[in-house]
């Protein structure tokens, strides 16, 4: 998630000082992604360096108000109008953990899946029981909170379905693993050769490998 663009989008509504920006971010995300003030000011410093924001008025309490520049407004609106581009490949710890475990001899991958499923179902139940704690249950802050929580619920449900799918695939192999011994071939320097891929996977890999 881009804190940088989120802060720009908020500043496009009007000048804010640091603590105010943090409060506004919390209001608009249901406090589900807490930011510390240091992170806010570090981001503001980088935005100022890039010419996207600038310091404005200072109030009687010494609060420095940051205001967006024309370039910052353009970037914020471009972000809102553009689709989110997911990173190529996966950095999901669970997917990598199961992929590695499935190739290790003597590892009970089914047990790993059962342990994770219990944890994922517990998280899903907790999310489904979550209630908005704000003052106005029918206001825009509740709506923002519910959108984020709904996203987390759908992600947890998808994780449980993927675990079920993985368990079914692994059950096709008697030992719940296809063990890979350590290779005796010495790897060459550079990136490993890509395996053949088709469709969106091939396009994603090709885009990642193409020189910019």
């Amino acid at each position: 998630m881009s804190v940088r663009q989120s802060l720009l989008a908020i500043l496009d509504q009007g000048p804010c000082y640091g603590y105010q920006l943090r409060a506004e971010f919390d209001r608009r995300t249901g406090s589900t992604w807490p930011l510390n003030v240091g992170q806010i000011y570090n981001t503001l410093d980088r935005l100022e360096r890039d010419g996207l924001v600038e310091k404005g008025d200072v109030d009687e309490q010494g609060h420095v108000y940051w205001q967006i520049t024309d370039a910052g407004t353009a970037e914020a609106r471009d972000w809102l109008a553009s689709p989110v581009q997911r990173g190529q490949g996966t950095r999901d710890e669970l997917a990598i953990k199961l992929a590695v475990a499935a190739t290790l001899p003597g590892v009970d991958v089914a047990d790993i899946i059962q342990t994770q499923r219990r944890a994922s179902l517990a998280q899903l139940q907790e999310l489904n029981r979550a209630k908005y704690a704000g003052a106005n249950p029918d206001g825009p802050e509740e709506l923002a909170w519910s959108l984020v929580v709904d996203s987390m619920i759908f992600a947890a449900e998808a994780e449980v379905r993927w675990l079920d799918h993985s368990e079914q695939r692994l059950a096709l192999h008697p030992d719940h693993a296809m063990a890979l011994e350590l290779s005796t071939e010495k790897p060459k320097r550079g990136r490993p050769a890509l395996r053949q891929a088709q469709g969106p996977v091939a396009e994603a890999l090709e885009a990642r490998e193409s020189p910019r």
Side-chain angles (χ1 to χ4, degrees):
M1 186 203 66
S2 175
V3 173
R4 172 189 175 100
Q5 277 80 11
S6 296
L7 297 187
L8 281 175
I10 294 171
L11 286 173
D12 198 34
Q13 305 304 304
C16 296
Y17 58 89
Y19 279 92
Q20 184 182 7
L21 264 178
R22 185 178 70 169
E24 290 295 334
F25 181 86
D26 285 347
R27 289 178 63 215
R28 286 164 168 77
T29 60
S31 300
T32 54
W33 193 290
L35 298 178
N36 60 56
V37 176
Q39 187 174 359
I40 294 285
Y41 281 110
N42 286 338
T43 303
L44 286 171
D45 287 340
R46 289 193 293 271
L47 290 172
E48 182 183 34
R49 177 200 63 195
D50 296 338
L52 303 177
V53 302
E54 58 189 12
K55 294 185 178 74
D57 297 334
V58 180
D59 66 14
E60 295 177 354
Q61 287 75 41
H63 298 135
V64 177
Y65 282 78
W66 294 79
Q67 56 194 32
I68 198 166
T69 64
D70 290 343
T73 293
E75 179 161 328
R77 295 181 182 179
D78 181 64
W79 174 65
L80 292 171
S82 303
V84 173
Q85 299 295 334
R86 304 294 184 184
Q88 305 296 345
T90 181
R91 292 293 187 270
D92 182 79
E93 181 181 355
L94 178 56
I96 297 301
K97 179 179 179 180
L98 282 191
V100 171
T103 66
L104 298 175
V107 175
D108 189 345
V109 189
D111 185 60
I112 294 175
I113 290 176
Q114 291 289 352
T115 299
Q116 183 63 47
R117 183 187 285 111
R118 286 193 295 269
S120 299
L121 287 172
Q123 181 190 29
L124 180 57
Q125 291 170 358
E126 183 178 348
L127 288 168
N128 280 317
R129 289 195 300 265
K131 301 294 182 182
Y132 180 65
N136 184 3
D138 297 317
E141 293 178 24
E142 189 279 337
L143 175 61
W145 175 87
S146 64
L147 287 173
V148 176
V149 173
D150 285 349
S151 173
M152 297 167 68
I153 288 173
F154 280 114
E157 290 174 342
E159 182 170 281
V160 172
R161 291 198 301 272
W162 175 73
L163 288 168
D164 292 341
H165 169 77
S166 299
E167 185 175 51
Q168 292 171 6
R169 292 202 65 185
L170 289 165
L172 299 176
H173 305 284
D175 297 328
H176 295 283
M178 299 183 68
L180 284 176
E181 301 294 336
L182 291 177
S183 176
T184 57
E185 181 181 347
K186 293 183 179 180
K188 298 178 181 179
R189 292 184 178 273
R191 309 184 77 173
L194 295 174
R195 297 190 178 193
Q196 278 193 323
Q198 298 179 345
V201 174
E203 294 174 3
L205 292 174
E206 183 179 352
R208 183 174 62 180
E209 295 301 316
S210 298
R212 297 183 183 274

